[in-house]
Amino acid sequence: MAANETPVKKNEQVHVTFEDLTHDGAGVAKLDGYPIFVPRALPGEQGEIKVIKVKKNYAIGRLIELTEESEERVEPPCPIFKNCGGCQIQHLSYEAQLEHKRKHVEGVLRRIGKLDNVTVHPTLGMEDPWRYRNKAQVPVGERNGDIIAGFYAKRSHEIVDMPNCIIQHEESDHTVQLIKDLAKKYGIRAYDEEKHRGTLRHIVTRHGKNTGELMVVLVTRGKELPNKKNIIQDIRDNLPHVKSIVQNINPKKTNVIFGDKTEVLWGEEVIYDRIGDVKFAISARSFYQVNPDQTKVLYDKALEYANLTGHETVIDAYCGIGTISLFLAQKAKHVYGVEIVPEAISDAKNNARLNDLTNAEFAVGEAEKVMPWWYAQGVRPDVIVVDPPRKGCDETLLETIVNMKPERVVYVSCNPATLARDLKYLAEHGFETKEVQPVDMFPQTMHVECVAEVVRKGN
Ligand code: SAH
């Protein structure tokens, strides 16, 4: 084969064996090391495919026929699974999903992190891996004059109308359906992304799994919401658990769901939920883990790895509304939390008061700026917990961790690739990763959350 030639041509039909899954759940087959991605194929399967797109470094194929089916293949229970971009692996048995995630983490730690000898435990999964999400963010659109709402189709911005979603709490389904009906009843137009016209952009619901409380957020393009009073009354009449009805205004041409302005239309500004013994107030825009049962599992693991005796000073970086901070504060001497979203920090402070925890303090700002400042002020934590967004920790933050010389670092991560990169940095600067525990926060999807136990060498 010439250097610039690919092993397959467009429209060619080939027989392949699938070895792996991509991050969006497509099967990966390799020909002379050249990957071909084929939606809905599973590792261990073989089949006839037609090549539909050829690029220099990869091709995309369409499955024509499976000649060898995986024993782990199951019938996806959701009728719109094929088109909807929300879940990726409903066609893989739950046991196999958990093992795939464990292996994926192990492989990434080895490849990117150069961490060959770290134990990656079996993924902690759910007994019932359905209906677990406490939050739905559903874009609204129109088709043939009718209001539709649902997730985007895979790799597109086309809305797949969704009568229900079996990874979400039932109450979210009822809410979305009700708001669709109310939009029709009161003539509220859906937002049109292309023309930047219309009113209703997103329906967001949040549900306190352990309190039953419900928040409904209507994200609109402008301040105007026709028939506001009637809509509020209808929501209250139809959703008895609703505690908070909120309008968020997002006038921008953007993919970002929320705008800067939030107005309470009725009820409270927040809803409450509990994780373990800690109660949390959650406002419309604050980050709160979407799977409350597994959050408890995750935080218990983080607490175990923090190994607290009651005498420790702890930093919780990227603390959100202080969830991990307050979990740790029950067992530590003092906890510092830092987070970039001001509303989240205001929730965190309220949450500390709500739980009578006086040994936690919170700062708004970029963790990579606040941590060096704390260091300069003489703060010397025994344990540092980090729970960054997908892009991982900023290098300045890792440098500050190294300078602070904590005994332990607990790294909570939603992206194994950046986790591996950051653990490598820590390994090069005197810290050893002892073990990694994947926790399945997002069953039926390719996402995997991990907690890593890291200790300073020579302790
Ligand atoms: N530990 C929390 C939140 C984790 S999500 C929980 O378990 O609920 C990551 C959080 O990091 C988000 O709340 C996000 O707003 C925040 N964040 C993102 N970039 C940041 C930065 N540079 N500094 C501080 N916080 C940041």
Side-chain angles (χ1 to χ4, degrees):
M1 182 172 83
N4 59 357
E5 233 176 73
T6 51
V8 287
K9 300 265 168 301
K10 190 171 170 174
N11 293 328
E12 194 179 331
Q13 222 165 292
V14 277
H15 188 261
V16 295
T17 302
F18 296 98
E19 303 169 16
D20 202 355
L21 289 170
T22 62
H23 70 277
D24 55 1
V28 183
K30 284 192 178 152
L31 289 179
D32 300 328
Y34 174 88
I36 307 175
F37 306 132
V38 181
R40 288 188 291 285
L42 292 173
E45 295 189 323
Q46 296 184 12
E48 272 305 295
I49 63 158
K50 183 170 180 176
V51 178
I52 54 175
K53 192 176 195 174
V54 178
K55 296 267 179 190
K56 196 163 150 243
N57 298 320
Y58 69 93
I60 294 178
R62 184 161 49 78
L63 199 55
I64 294 175
E65 190 193 9
L66 279 178
T67 52
E68 183 86 40
E69 244 190 41
S70 165
E71 281 177 10
E72 303 298 347
R73 178 175 281 278
V74 293
E75 192 56 42
C78 174
I80 56 168
F81 170 65
K82 250 182 160 177
N83 299 323
C84 175
C87 295
Q88 297 85 43
I89 44 174
Q90 282 193 13
H91 58 320
L92 184 61
S93 77
Y94 190 51
E95 283 310 308
Q97 291 183 23
L98 296 176
E99 178 52 13
H100 177 80
K101 290 180 185 187
R102 192 197 70 79
K103 279 224 278 283
H104 174 67
V105 171
E106 197 174 59
V108 169
L109 288 178
R110 205 178 305 126
R111 276 197 315 278
I112 303 176
K114 310 290 170 219
L115 299 162
D116 291 323
N117 300 316
V118 173
T119 306
V120 179
H121 294 290
T123 310
L124 297 173
M126 298 186 79
E127 224 161 85
D128 177 14
W130 302 101
R131 294 281 182 200
Y132 59 84
R133 281 186 66 98
N134 59 9
K135 175 185 178 184
Q137 307 190 121
V138 186
V140 183
E142 283 179 27
R143 190 165 301 142
N144 307 328
D146 207 5
I147 297 277
I148 57 169
F151 290 120
Y152 293 120
K154 291 187 169 90
R155 283 180 234 97
S156 91
H157 257 228
E158 200 164 303
I159 295 169
V160 179
D161 195 35
M162 183 181 72
N164 62 43
C165 169
I166 54 177
I167 62 167
Q168 275 173 195
H169 195 277
E170 278 96 343
E171 193 111 30
S172 297
D173 286 346
H174 298 158
T175 307
V176 172
Q177 197 48 52
L178 174 71
I179 304 296
K180 268 177 12 184
D181 293 345
L182 294 181
K184 272 178 238 166
K185 178 172 166 188
Y186 294 115
I188 292 170
R189 298 296 302 265
Y191 174 64
D192 181 328
E193 234 181 0
E194 268 163 34
K195 302 200 179 88
H196 195 52
R197 280 207 306 244
T199 302
L200 189 56
R201 298 177 69 129
H202 272 81
I203 305 164
V204 179
T205 71
R206 301 191 97 157
H207 177 254
K209 170 93 195 276
N210 298 310
T211 56
E213 298 185 0
L214 177 71
M215 174 184 274
V216 180
V217 187
L218 304 176
V219 183
T220 56
R221 182 171 65 92
K223 196 171 153 33
E224 180 109 343
L225 181 62
N227 281 301
K228 205 185 270 185
K229 276 211 175 106
N230 294 331
I231 292 173
I232 294 168
Q233 195 55 49
D234 282 3
I235 293 176
R236 290 178 58 197
D237 290 346
N238 285 284
L239 300 169
H241 297 132
V242 72
K243 284 281 179 308
S244 165
I245 306 175
V246 171
Q247 181 183 1
N248 175 273
I249 299 153
N250 186 356
K252 292 191 190 143
K253 262 190 147 176
T254 168
N255 283 342
V256 177
I257 295 176
F258 285 108
D260 294 333
K261 248 181 126 183
T262 307
E263 272 176 35
V264 178
L265 298 181
W266 177 84
E268 313 263 330
E269 201 177 346
V270 295
I271 56 162
Y272 294 94
D273 196 20
R274 262 192 315 271
I275 301 174
D277 297 331
V278 190
K279 193 172 177 192
F280 296 102
I282 308 151
S283 54
R285 290 183 56 203
S286 295
F287 177 90
Y288 183 66
Q289 298 282 0
V290 298
N291 184 335
D293 293 339
Q294 291 297 87
T295 299
K296 170 83 169 57
V297 174
L298 182 76
Y299 291 176
D300 278 342
K301 211 18 127 184
L303 194 59
E304 180 192 320
Y305 285 166
N307 202 18
L308 300 175
T309 62
H311 302 293
E312 293 82 2
T313 299
V314 181
I315 287 180
D316 178 18
Y318 311 91
C319 70
I321 61 170
T323 29
I324 298 180
S325 324
L326 297 180
F327 229 62
L328 298 167
Q330 297 171 296
K331 300 270 163 64
K333 188 171 91 194
H334 196 84
V335 179
Y336 295 84
V338 53
E339 156 68 42
I340 202 166
V341 175
E343 288 97 327
I345 285 297
S346 128
D347 285 352
K349 288 179 178 166
N350 281 337
N351 288 332
R353 276 194 291 274
L354 196 65
N355 292 282
D356 292 323
L357 289 164
T358 52
N359 59 339
E361 63 181 274
F362 294 96
V364 179
E366 292 167 65
E368 58 273 25
K369 297 219 171 104
V370 174
M371 295 258 296
W373 185 78
W374 277 335
Y375 179 63
Q377 303 296 303
V379 177
R380 297 290 180 272
D382 304 288
V383 180
I384 297 177
V385 179
V386 296
D387 183 5
R390 292 190 64 76
K391 68 174 193 238
C393 295
D394 189 276
E395 195 161 315
T396 318
L397 183 129
L398 295 172
E399 221 176 275
T400 312
I401 293 180
V402 173
N403 291 337
M404 283 178 158
K405 291 197 168 59
E407 280 175 35
R408 291 172 164 265
V409 176
V410 179
Y411 196 132
V412 182
S413 160
C414 57
N415 183 353
T418 52
L419 171 70
R421 179 200 68 198
D422 293 347
L423 292 181
K424 180 164 178 274
Y425 179 96
L426 291 174
E428 288 161 355
H429 294 83
F431 289 82
E432 185 185 356
T433 301
K434 287 281 185 201
E435 53 181 73
V436 174
Q437 176 63 65
V439 178
D440 196 21
M441 301 286 275
F442 313 102
Q444 321 307 333
T445 79
M446 289 297 286
H447 294 288
V448 55
E449 190 92 9
C450 291
V451 202
E453 180 187 31
V454 183
V455 297
R456 190 158 56 84
K457 280 188 239 168
N459 253 325

